[in-house]
Amino acid sequence: MISKSPEVSKIMDILSHEKRLAMLCIISEWEKNISELVEILEISQSLVSQFALKMKDQWILESKKTGKEVFYRIKDTKTLELMQALKTIYC
């Protein structure tokens, strides 16, 4: 665990923010675009975009462009497994 602490710390930092946690929870079920996330999370488009870019830069999310829309999904399998575990425990 000690050797993985930087990696674990990175994901825990992301999950420590309520809206980023909620965003990952939503995306773990199905890929979503920014507009859908704005509506579900009830926060500004710029904030959702900032969160998505931060998580994309840290290799947690990946994007897929379809026409004019960009869809996001969880890229990191460990993050996806963690989100599934959190749902099992708390939901």
Side-chain angles (χ1 to χ4, degrees):
M1 177 73 165
I2 292 172
S3 65
K4 296 288 185 176
S5 61
E7 179 183 351
V8 174
S9 178
K10 176 181 73 172
I11 189 63
M12 298 310 283
D13 180 52
I14 294 290
L15 296 177
S16 69
H17 189 282
E18 177 184 349
K19 293 296 184 176
R20 285 193 302 251
L21 175 61
M23 184 172 166
L24 282 174
C25 186
I26 293 160
I27 294 173
S28 71
E29 294 174 4
W30 199 259
E31 63 184 30
K32 298 285 183 192
N33 65 32
I34 295 292
S35 298
E36 292 170 317
L37 291 167
V38 166
E39 185 176 327
I40 295 166
L41 296 170
E42 298 179 340
I43 58 176
S44 70
Q45 181 177 346
S46 65
L47 196 53
V48 172
S49 295
Q50 286 175 19
F51 290 164
L53 288 175
K54 180 176 183 172
M55 289 187 269
K56 193 174 173 187
D57 286 346
Q58 295 184 8
W59 301 97
I60 295 169
L61 295 182
E62 64 184 352
S63 61
K64 173 181 75 173
K65 191 167 186 170
T66 305
K68 292 181 180 180
E69 296 181 312
V70 178
F71 289 86
Y72 290 91
R73 63 176 167 240
I74 296 177
K75 176 181 184 174
D76 180 56
T77 56
K78 290 178 185 175
T79 301
L80 185 56
E81 289 174 16
L82 179 58
M83 295 309 300
Q84 292 167 345
L86 288 172
K87 283 183 190 176
T88 300
I89 295 166
Y90 290 104
C91 298

